[in-house]
Amino acid sequence: MLRFCLIGTGRAGLVHAANIDRRIKDAQLIALCDADPGALRRAAAECSAGRQYLDYREAVRDPRVDAVIVATPAFLHREIACEAAAQGKHIFLEKPMALSVAECEDINAAAAQAGVTLQIGFMRRFDAAYVQTKEILESGELGPVMIIKSTGRGPGLPPPWIYDLSKSNGMLAEVNSHDFDSVRWLVGSEIARLYAEAANLKCDDARDRYPDFYDNAVVVLRFANAALGSIDGTCPAEYGYDARVEVLCEKGALFLGSVQDRGVSRVTCDGNVTTQAVESWRSLFREAYIGEIEHFISCVEQQTTPRATGLDGLKAVEAVAAANASITSGEPVTLEAVRRT
Amino acid sequence: MLRFCLIGTGRAGLVHAANIDRRIKDAQLIALCDADPGALRRAAAECSAGRQYLDYREAVRDPRVDAVIVATPAFLHREIACEAAAQGKHIFLEKPMALSVAECEDINAAAAQAGVTLQIGFMRRFDAAYVQTKEILESGELGPVMIIKSTGRGPGLPPPWIYDLSKSNGMLAEVNSHDFDSVRWLVGSEIARLYAEAANLKCDDARDRYPDFYDNAVVVLRFANAALGSIDGTCPAEYGYDARVEVLCEKGALFLGSVQDRGVSRVTCDGNVTTQAVESWRSLFREAYIGEIEHFISCVEQQTTPRATGLDGLKAVEAVAAANASITSGEPVTLEAVRRT
Amino acid sequence: MLRFCLIGTGRAGLVHAANIDRRIKDAQLIALCDADPGALRRAAAECSAGRQYLDYREAVRDPRVDAVIVATPAFLHREIACEAAAQGKHIFLEKPMALSVAECEDINAAAAQAGVTLQIGFMRRFDAAYVQTKEILESGELGPVMIIKSTGRGPGLPPPWIYDLSKSNGMLAEVNSHDFDSVRWLVGSEIARLYAEAANLKCDDARDRYPDFYDNAVVVLRFANAALGSIDGTCPAEYGYDARVEVLCEKGALFLGSVQDRGVSRVTCDGNVTTQAVESWRSLFREAYIGEIEHFISCVEQQTTPRATGLDGLKAVEAVAAANASITSGEPVTLEAVRRT
Amino acid sequence: MLRFCLIGTGRAGLVHAANIDRRIKDAQLIALCDADPGALRRAAAECSAGRQYLDYREAVRDPRVDAVIVATPAFLHREIACEAAAQGKHIFLEKPMALSVAECEDINAAAAQAGVTLQIGFMRRFDAAYVQTKEILESGELGPVMIIKSTGRGPGLPPPWIYDLSKSNGMLAEVNSHDFDSVRWLVGSEIARLYAEAANLKCDDARDRYPDFYDNAVVVLRFANAALGSIDGTCPAEYGYDARVEVLCEKGALFLGSVQDRGVSRVTCDGNVTTQAVESWRSLFREAYIGEIEHFISCVEQQTTPRATGLDGLKAVEAVAAANASITSGEPVTLEAVRRT
């Protein structure tokens, strides 16, 4: 039985809270923490957790807490994660891991020093279709990857703090961290170089104050092993949550994901055949969100390495930084160049 | 070059006329025939055919005509086909072949005696997907058929003369003749026994005058080789034209056809993913309608037996008669019993 | 917190055991019961339940047990359920409810007299797609149902005791009880009359000793409200578990279920595009199996009526009896006639 | 009736020949021309054309010829097209239009001066799904395009002359000309800037002699109207011909094309659900190939402007040139820069 404190009671945080409360037997949510008293109160009403904290420093000192789930905005990740590590708490850290490679390095160092388990919230690595894709690629039956393409679109308006790229690293960080992690994991090779085009095509209200904000981006990738790739991201796409991957290999191709949900399809007198789009990452990755926490618990209990490590988190942050640098400079950017800065 | 006269300028007739005019190089449409002067005039405006006849007896005597396409209501098929045979014309005869087994036998005898080619308009036998299904089943790779199911739904309101089952044999004849022929052809065995349920659920205006009229029917089949099957038919289905077949074999299953057309799919802000239903047999079987006429021309020129013979036409009429008898009696009916009456 | 005893540790039973052990927070599996010591031992190794019983009479007397899940062969349901009711235990009863309408009536009477909650394991009523279908039909937006078709195929060989129809009521009971319940629930009207064709096409070894055994069946249905329908069942279909429903209404149609699982699709050099079939009811209805137990717990705690009552269970048994009578007699059978016998 | 001479009897040329011979009524194929006597002889055996030429200069002087279809390798297009124009022949010119923008300008000037009809073989503009996509986008119902993605993969090995990029402009010209034309046509805006990554991942035998040859490429696009896009191309993909477009708009998205052909789907005992991939552009665009020639005939007869003009051909050549320049330089390239060189 692992006792959790959730730090950050936004949407992703509440998904974890509900899973621990209702679906994961060997875990207990005993505490909540949010700097916003209103959010904390609302979350407490939904959860079984008896303890509430406004200050994460107190939360991570609670001796009854074994592990924290950090689901705050990314610019707070470093200080919270490092403090939690210092207090000997195991850390489940939502993506993006942090705002910069340097911050990621700090977190990794803190966790290593404290000897606590650190897992990044790349839940796609726990989704049955992603796992199956990884297995097929690793089996070699389709030969090496030639081109991988990943599309990641979110349905909702981004919260305003994302407009400020210095605080958020933008949509590529908030939405497409998953895509950067997925393509790297699936190809089994590091991104070597990328070029990105981006535009603000929907968020008129952000244009004046945040001229570098973008809500659409297309990134072309070259991997160290010579494979090519692309990532495209849009938020909000409005029609739903859209996560699809296509992998072209030398001897075939794989297609993962669909715009369509698994629901009923209907045909009406106007001749329209209609199904529902995937509405949310909550429904699409329901089992993966449960699976990653069960995996985290097992890693803590058996002292094994999580499937999504702090290094994986760092690599995704690095790629996002490169893409943002490419958008700013209008030039292709090597990951090596990002690493040197 | 084969010179055709089209007899009956309704919807199916005009599809053949357009194909001969625009898509089939070694054929010429030289004459049209329809007892309705208005229909004849409208058809003439659409076609290249120079000659027009109100009386089929004159049409089939035209010495320039090599072959007739008979696309009139089914109750006229026997007299027209027999007269055309007597005049030495090759006959492409739309389904249903006739109203009764006896009428079919008359037509077959007339064609045999005259030595003319007779082909029934079972265009599904020329559709790539049906042909592929037939080939897979014949290859034996999936083992014997256990259950075959065929759905046939038409989009439009039936013409009023179909209300009178004594003239039309009803929807099972007009719409589902194709299904009866397909299942028999695909299974490679004769229907031995069937039971049918039917209801008039949409056509309120027909209820009083034609109490035995039905617009929905479900038929369960037992084949001579012990396979089972079902056919369901509805007209009008309104949403489009719907032809699907499912074949369950000992070692697998086949699925043929789709409610969806091959068009573009769209997703909109309401989260609906929408494609278009197949609108019409005209679009779905476009190539098959061309193929069956090219096949007919080739059979005439090379004096070979068509893929859909007069016996095939008769067998479908027989099955429809059995289904109508089952609906009337509320009992299962053997095909042998129909043959004896 | 509800404390359960599982009676019958076969496949369906173990699904419930695993769900209570791993996914349902407010429930506890405290006891197992199976007359077969080997099966009991194997089940105990997989579950957390501390207590084991070979005799259901002892199990239902255990004062720590609040509720039983009865997942034995159907011919044992009546005695176990009645005894459990007599001991004041709430009863979750797997389908088919029992072998005859009379047995169902006994169970219903026993539960009513004891005032315990009785729920039948029609998990499809808890599946998101079935629930959505029900809601669309009830909304009236598509008008009344004209034709409903339900296909139910199981992948595995039936256990030998099913060969004996006097003990099992055959495949229509074991596999297609779900279909009979679904069509009745979705249409919102009772089955009035049916006709069934059946054949043993795969199980050669059963043919001599059990000449009335069938592994394929097609049933045509007429509902009290004039809608038509069909059910087809096959076991084993070998390729996987196949549950699909099609509902044609006056103003459109609904399609529920797919042969294909939600996995990755791949295309290989031979030009084959391949996905995986749904492998098992375990994966397809995973959430529904959890949902029905959570619903049962809630019904017990709040003393409300379950979504799948003993009357629903009885009605499915009645329809299966009618279908078996039709197969035996070769005649259509009214449900009223079954009720009278 | 338009009388055609086909110049270049390779694969694309023979598709046109067969269509004119078998499917297009108001056209006649009267002459064939190919510098390779063996190819000419084989083509003559398949076609009805009575006249054969080894030298295109003689072919375009044949007074019975009204129009030429030029389907030779692209490096011959300029001289043939200009000579045909000089002889007053209407010109149907396969893609890519030529090797350079300057060559395209020569062809356009020659056709304009001679007053002959010039149409480029962008058959996708005549495909029902592409036309429907264009109509939906123009209707404005989905709002402006934000991201367009086009995938173009060919099944077969490229002919060896394509290895030499100075002669062929490479795979982006030979295979993806269609994609460059489609995205420009569908978005309704010119490509402003692009960046391309390419690699030779399959054609080992080309690597030494043709180090700049690539068989995989990913191109990211920025349009003049601020929309973003990507094109990816691979040849050979081996599994089939793969043409898909995805258009994300402000209020929804469109999906055009599928890896899957329209054939039968089968499920086998191993649980695989299998359909066939689209095998060839010949099958996928069968109707579009007929449609573009019928359109060309109509443009000649009614002296109207074709749907795919010489300017459209030039713009696609320009974009390919920019992409190849980007691959060579490793930098993003503006179309304006290409125009200036």
Side-chain angles (χ1 to χ4, degrees):
Chain A
M1 177 69 69
L2 210 65
R3 285 163 308 193
F4 281 90
C5 173
L6 170 67
I7 305 177
T9 61
R11 298 179 307 171
L14 290 180
V15 166
H16 293 301
N19 283 337
I20 294 176
D21 263 5
R22 301 192 47 227
R23 284 278 179 265
I24 301 172
K25 276 234 158 170
D26 39 1
Q28 211 179 342
L29 183 69
I30 63 163
L32 296 174
C33 173
D34 203 301
D36 173 349
L40 187 60
R41 212 177 317 115
R42 285 189 297 277
E46 286 186 31
C47 300
S48 67
R51 299 165 180 222
Q52 283 123 46
Y53 295 100
L54 286 164
D55 186 335
Y56 76 86
R57 285 172 211 86
E58 293 178 35
V60 299
R61 269 187 208 103
D62 184 333
R64 290 205 61 226
V65 168
D66 300 316
V68 293
I69 294 176
V70 183
T72 62
F75 60 86
L76 298 168
H77 282 191
R78 179 176 48 177
E79 62 179 81
I80 298 173
C82 290
E83 186 67 22
Q87 298 297 328
K89 307 305 186 195
H90 302 289
I91 305 163
F92 183 93
L93 186 55
E94 265 300 333
K95 48 53 47 184
M97 184 177 177
L99 287 196
S100 68
V101 173
E103 287 186 358
C104 295
E105 286 168 343
D106 288 353
I107 296 170
N108 286 334
Q113 198 175 351
V116 297
T117 297
L118 168 67
Q119 182 177 330
I120 310 301
F122 289 135
M123 80 289 178
R124 293 188 185 179
R125 295 189 179 212
F126 298 86
D127 175 77
Y130 281 81
V131 169
Q132 191 191 351
T133 301
K134 178 68 175 167
E135 286 168 357
I136 296 170
L137 293 174
E138 283 198 334
S139 78
E141 85 176 72
L142 296 183
V145 173
M146 299 199 300
I147 295 179
I148 190 167
K149 301 190 289 183
S150 187
T151 292
R153 296 174 186 154
L157 274 167
W161 64 268
I162 290 181
Y163 285 173
D164 183 349
L165 264 67
S166 68
K167 273 198 183 157
S168 72
N169 277 335
M171 182 198 69
L172 285 177
E174 283 299 311
V175 176
N176 298 110
S177 279
H178 290 301
D179 301 278
F180 282 105
D181 180 61
S182 296
V183 300
R184 182 181 159 266
W185 180 57
L186 292 173
V187 172
S189 174
E190 298 295 337
I191 298 169
R193 181 171 68 182
L194 56 73
Y195 175 82
E197 291 277 2
N200 176 357
L201 297 172
K202 295 196 86 169
C203 296
D204 286 337
D205 56 326
R207 213 160 274 142
D208 287 342
R209 281 192 57 193
Y210 303 102
D212 58 350
F213 173 78
Y214 55 85
D215 48 18
N216 280 268
V218 182
V219 188
V220 57
L221 309 166
R222 177 179 283 275
F223 290 85
N225 71 354
L228 308 179
S230 71
I231 288 173
D232 71 280
T234 299
C235 187
E238 297 193 25
Y239 62 75
Y241 180 78
D242 195 353
R244 284 172 286 129
V245 178
E246 178 180 331
V247 194
L248 176 66
C249 300
E250 257 189 42
K251 299 183 198 157
L254 297 173
F255 300 87
L256 185 169
S258 168
V259 163
Q260 292 180 31
D261 200 359
R262 209 197 164 107
V264 171
S265 106
R266 82 181 80 177
V267 52
T268 40
C269 292
D270 52 11
N272 284 334
V273 183
T274 309
T275 55
Q276 204 63 21
V278 173
E279 196 183 327
S280 165
W281 42 272
R282 286 182 201 78
S283 50
L284 183 61
F285 291 116
R286 180 186 304 189
E287 284 292 316
Y289 273 98
I290 296 171
E292 67 175 356
I293 298 296
E294 291 186 330
H295 175 77
F296 175 72
I297 294 168
S298 150
C299 286
V300 168
E301 288 176 350
Q302 293 163 37
Q303 295 189 282
T304 50
T305 306
R307 197 181 299 172
T309 66
L311 182 62
D312 296 319
L314 178 153
K315 285 293 176 186
V317 168
E318 189 177 271
V320 168
N324 281 333
S326 175
I327 292 168
T328 305
S329 68
E331 296 293 334
V333 172
T334 65
L335 275 278
E336 205 194 341
V338 174
R339 236 166 278 143
R340 280 198 310 263
T341 56
Chain B
M1 176 68 71
L2 207 67
R3 285 165 308 195
F4 280 91
C5 174
L6 170 66
I7 304 177
T9 61
R11 297 181 309 171
L14 290 180
V15 165
H16 293 301
N19 283 337
I20 295 177
D21 264 5
R22 300 192 49 225
R23 284 279 178 265
I24 301 171
K25 276 235 158 173
D26 40 2
Q28 214 178 340
L29 183 68
I30 63 165
L32 296 174
C33 173
D34 203 302
D36 173 348
L40 187 60
R41 213 177 315 117
R42 285 190 296 277
E46 285 186 31
C47 301
S48 67
R51 299 164 180 223
Q52 282 122 48
Y53 295 102
L54 286 164
D55 187 335
Y56 76 85
R57 287 173 209 84
E58 292 178 35
V60 299
R61 272 188 205 99
D62 183 332
R64 292 202 61 226
V65 168
D66 299 317
V68 293
I69 293 174
V70 182
T72 63
F75 60 86
L76 298 168
H77 282 192
R78 179 177 46 179
E79 62 180 81
I80 297 174
C82 290
E83 186 66 23
Q87 298 298 327
K89 307 305 188 196
H90 301 289
I91 304 164
F92 183 93
L93 186 55
E94 265 301 334
K95 49 53 46 186
M97 185 178 178
L99 287 196
S100 68
V101 172
E103 287 187 359
C104 295
E105 285 168 343
D106 289 353
I107 295 171
N108 285 334
Q113 197 177 352
V116 297
T117 296
L118 169 67
Q119 182 177 327
I120 309 300
F122 289 136
M123 79 289 178
R124 293 188 186 178
R125 294 189 181 212
F126 297 86
D127 176 78
Y130 280 80
V131 169
Q132 191 191 350
T133 302
K134 178 69 174 165
E135 286 168 359
I136 297 170
L137 293 175
E138 283 197 332
S139 77
E141 86 176 71
L142 296 183
V145 173
M146 300 199 299
I147 294 180
I148 189 167
K149 301 189 288 182
S150 188
T151 292
R153 296 174 185 155
L157 274 167
W161 64 267
I162 290 181
Y163 285 173
D164 183 349
L165 263 68
S166 68
K167 273 197 183 158
S168 72
N169 278 336
M171 183 197 69
L172 285 177
E174 284 299 312
V175 175
N176 298 109
S177 278
H178 290 301
D179 301 279
F180 282 104
D181 180 61
S182 297
V183 299
R184 184 183 157 264
W185 180 57
L186 292 172
V187 173
S189 174
E190 299 295 337
I191 298 169
R193 180 172 68 182
L194 54 74
Y195 175 82
E197 289 278 2
N200 176 356
L201 298 172
K202 294 196 85 169
C203 297
D204 286 337
D205 56 328
R207 214 161 273 142
D208 286 343
R209 281 192 57 193
Y210 303 102
D212 57 351
F213 173 79
Y214 54 85
D215 48 19
N216 280 268
V218 182
V219 189
V220 57
L221 308 166
R222 178 179 282 274
F223 291 85
N225 70 355
L228 308 178
S230 71
I231 288 174
D232 70 280
T234 300
C235 188
E238 297 193 27
Y239 61 75
Y241 180 78
D242 195 351
R244 284 172 287 129
V245 178
E246 178 179 330
V247 195
L248 175 66
C249 301
E250 257 189 43
K251 299 183 199 155
L254 297 172
F255 300 87
L256 185 170
S258 169
V259 163
Q260 292 181 31
D261 199 0
R262 212 201 161 100
V264 171
S265 104
R266 83 181 78 176
V267 52
T268 41
C269 292
D270 52 12
N272 284 333
V273 183
T274 310
T275 55
Q276 205 63 22
V278 173
E279 196 183 328
S280 166
W281 42 274
R282 286 181 200 80
S283 49
L284 183 61
F285 291 117
R286 181 186 302 189
E287 284 291 317
Y289 273 99
I290 296 172
E292 67 175 355
I293 298 295
E294 292 186 329
H295 176 76
F296 176 71
I297 294 169
S298 151
C299 287
V300 167
E301 288 176 349
Q302 292 164 36
Q303 295 189 282
T304 50
T305 305
R307 197 180 299 171
T309 66
L311 182 63
D312 296 319
L314 179 152
K315 286 294 178 186
V317 168
E318 190 177 271
V320 167
N324 281 332
S326 174
I327 292 168
T328 304
S329 68
E331 296 293 333
V333 172
T334 65
L335 276 278
E336 207 195 342
V338 174
R339 236 167 277 143
R340 279 198 311 263
T341 55
Chain C
M1 177 68 69
L2 209 65
R3 285 164 308 193
F4 281 90
C5 174
L6 170 66
I7 305 177
T9 61
R11 297 180 309 170
L14 289 180
V15 166
H16 292 301
N19 284 336
I20 294 176
D21 263 6
R22 300 192 48 228
R23 283 277 179 266
I24 301 171
K25 277 237 158 170
D26 39 2
Q28 213 179 338
L29 183 68
I30 63 163
L32 296 174
C33 173
D34 203 301
D36 173 348
L40 187 61
R41 212 177 315 115
R42 285 189 296 277
E46 286 185 31
C47 301
S48 66
R51 300 165 180 223
Q52 282 124 47
Y53 295 102
L54 286 164
D55 186 335
Y56 77 86
R57 285 172 210 84
E58 293 177 34
V60 299
R61 270 189 206 101
D62 184 332
R64 290 204 62 227
V65 168
D66 300 315
V68 293
I69 293 176
V70 183
T72 62
F75 60 86
L76 299 168
H77 282 191
R78 180 177 46 178
E79 63 181 80
I80 297 174
C82 290
E83 186 68 22
Q87 298 298 327
K89 308 304 187 196
H90 302 288
I91 305 163
F92 183 93
L93 186 54
E94 265 301 333
K95 48 54 46 186
M97 185 176 176
L99 287 196
S100 68
V101 172
E103 287 186 358
C104 295
E105 285 169 344
D106 288 353
I107 296 170
N108 286 334
Q113 198 176 350
V116 298
T117 296
L118 168 67
Q119 182 177 328
I120 310 301
F122 289 135
M123 79 291 179
R124 293 188 186 178
R125 294 189 180 211
F126 298 86
D127 175 77
Y130 280 81
V131 169
Q132 191 191 351
T133 301
K134 178 67 175 167
E135 285 168 358
I136 296 170
L137 293 175
E138 283 198 334
S139 77
E141 85 177 72
L142 296 183
V145 173
M146 300 198 300
I147 295 179
I148 189 166
K149 300 190 289 182
S150 188
T151 292
R153 297 175 184 154
L157 275 168
W161 63 268
I162 290 182
Y163 286 173
D164 184 348
L165 264 67
S166 68
K167 271 198 185 160
S168 72
N169 277 335
M171 182 198 70
L172 284 177
E174 283 300 311
V175 176
N176 298 109
S177 278
H178 290 301
D179 301 278
F180 282 104
D181 180 61
S182 295
V183 300
R184 182 182 159 265
W185 179 57
L186 292 172
V187 172
S189 175
E190 299 295 337
I191 298 169
R193 182 173 65 183
L194 55 72
Y195 176 83
E197 291 276 3
N200 176 357
L201 298 172
K202 295 196 84 168
C203 297
D204 286 337
D205 55 328
R207 212 161 275 142
D208 287 342
R209 281 191 57 193
Y210 303 102
D212 57 350
F213 173 77
Y214 54 85
D215 48 19
N216 280 267
V218 182
V219 188
V220 58
L221 309 166
R222 177 178 285 274
F223 290 85
N225 70 355
L228 308 178
S230 71
I231 288 173
D232 70 281
T234 299
C235 186
E238 297 195 25
Y239 62 74
Y241 180 78
D242 196 352
R244 284 172 286 129
V245 178
E246 178 180 332
V247 193
L248 175 66
C249 300
E250 258 190 41
K251 300 183 198 157
L254 297 172
F255 300 87
L256 185 171
S258 169
V259 164
Q260 292 180 30
D261 199 1
R262 209 198 164 104
V264 171
S265 105
R266 82 180 81 177
V267 51
T268 40
C269 292
D270 53 11
N272 284 334
V273 184
T274 310
T275 55
Q276 204 62 20
V278 172
E279 196 182 328
S280 164
W281 43 273
R282 286 182 201 77
S283 50
L284 183 61
F285 290 116
R286 179 186 304 189
E287 284 291 317
Y289 273 98
I290 296 171
E292 67 175 356
I293 298 296
E294 292 186 329
H295 175 77
F296 175 71
I297 294 167
S298 151
C299 286
V300 168
E301 288 176 350
Q302 293 163 36
Q303 295 189 283
T304 50
T305 306
R307 199 180 298 171
T309 66
L311 182 62
D312 296 318
L314 178 152
K315 285 293 175 185
V317 168
E318 189 177 88
V320 168
N324 282 332
S326 175
I327 292 168
T328 305
S329 68
E331 296 293 333
V333 173
T334 65
L335 276 278
E336 207 195 338
V338 173
R339 236 166 278 143
R340 278 199 310 263
T341 55
Chain D
M1 176 67 70
L2 208 67
R3 285 164 309 194
F4 280 90
C5 173
L6 170 67
I7 304 177
T9 60
R11 297 180 309 170
L14 290 180
V15 166
H16 292 302
N19 283 337
I20 294 177
D21 263 6
R22 300 192 49 226
R23 282 279 178 266
I24 302 172
K25 276 236 158 170
D26 39 2
Q28 213 179 339
L29 183 69
I30 63 165
L32 296 173
C33 173
D34 202 301
D36 173 349
L40 187 60
R41 212 177 316 116
R42 285 190 297 276
E46 285 186 30
C47 301
S48 68
R51 298 161 181 227
Q52 283 123 47
Y53 295 101
L54 287 164
D55 186 335
Y56 76 85
R57 286 174 210 84
E58 292 178 35
V60 298
R61 272 190 203 98
D62 183 332
R64 290 204 61 225
V65 169
D66 299 318
V68 294
I69 292 174
V70 182
T72 62
F75 61 85
L76 298 168
H77 282 191
R78 178 177 46 180
E79 62 180 80
I80 298 173
C82 289
E83 186 66 22
Q87 298 299 326
K89 307 304 188 196
H90 302 289
I91 305 163
F92 183 93
L93 185 56
E94 264 302 332
K95 50 52 45 186
M97 185 177 177
L99 287 195
S100 68
V101 172
E103 287 186 358
C104 294
E105 284 169 343
D106 288 353
I107 296 171
N108 284 335
Q113 199 176 350
V116 298
T117 297
L118 169 68
Q119 182 177 326
I120 309 301
F122 288 136
M123 79 290 178
R124 293 187 185 179
R125 294 189 181 211
F126 297 86
D127 175 77
Y130 281 80
V131 169
Q132 191 191 351
T133 301
K134 177 68 174 167
E135 286 168 358
I136 296 170
L137 293 175
E138 283 198 332
S139 77
E141 86 177 71
L142 296 183
V145 173
M146 300 199 299
I147 295 179
I148 190 167
K149 301 190 288 183
S150 188
T151 292
R153 296 174 186 156
L157 274 167
W161 64 267
I162 290 181
Y163 285 173
D164 183 349
L165 264 67
S166 67
K167 272 198 183 159
S168 72
N169 277 335
M171 183 198 68
L172 285 177
E174 283 300 311
V175 175
N176 299 110
S177 278
H178 290 301
D179 301 278
F180 282 104
D181 180 61
S182 296
V183 298
R184 183 183 158 264
W185 179 58
L186 292 172
V187 173
S189 175
E190 299 296 337
I191 298 169
R193 182 171 66 182
L194 55 73
Y195 176 83
E197 290 278 2
N200 176 356
L201 298 172
K202 294 195 85 169
C203 298
D204 286 337
D205 55 328
R207 213 161 273 142
D208 287 342
R209 280 193 58 194
Y210 302 102
D212 57 351
F213 174 78
Y214 55 86
D215 49 18
N216 279 268
V218 181
V219 188
V220 58
L221 308 166
R222 178 178 282 275
F223 290 86
N225 70 354
L228 307 178
S230 71
I231 288 173
D232 70 281
T234 299
C235 187
E238 296 194 27
Y239 62 75
Y241 180 79
D242 195 352
R244 284 172 286 128
V245 178
E246 178 179 331
V247 194
L248 175 66
C249 300
E250 258 189 42
K251 299 183 199 157
L254 297 172
F255 300 87
L256 186 170
S258 168
V259 164
Q260 293 180 31
D261 199 359
R262 209 199 163 103
V264 171
S265 104
R266 84 181 78 177
V267 52
T268 41
C269 292
D270 52 12
N272 285 334
V273 183
T274 310
T275 56
Q276 204 63 19
V278 172
E279 195 183 329
S280 165
W281 42 273
R282 287 182 199 79
S283 50
L284 183 61
F285 290 117
R286 180 187 302 190
E287 284 291 315
Y289 273 98
I290 296 171
E292 67 175 355
I293 298 295
E294 292 186 330
H295 176 76
F296 175 71
I297 294 168
S298 151
C299 287
V300 167
E301 288 176 350
Q302 292 165 37
Q303 296 189 282
T304 50
T305 305
R307 198 180 298 171
T309 66
L311 182 62
D312 295 319
L314 178 152
K315 286 293 177 186
V317 168
E318 191 177 89
V320 168
N324 281 332
S326 174
I327 292 168
T328 306
S329 68
E331 297 293 333
V333 173
T334 65
L335 276 278
E336 206 193 342
V338 174
R339 236 166 277 143
R340 278 200 311 264
T341 56

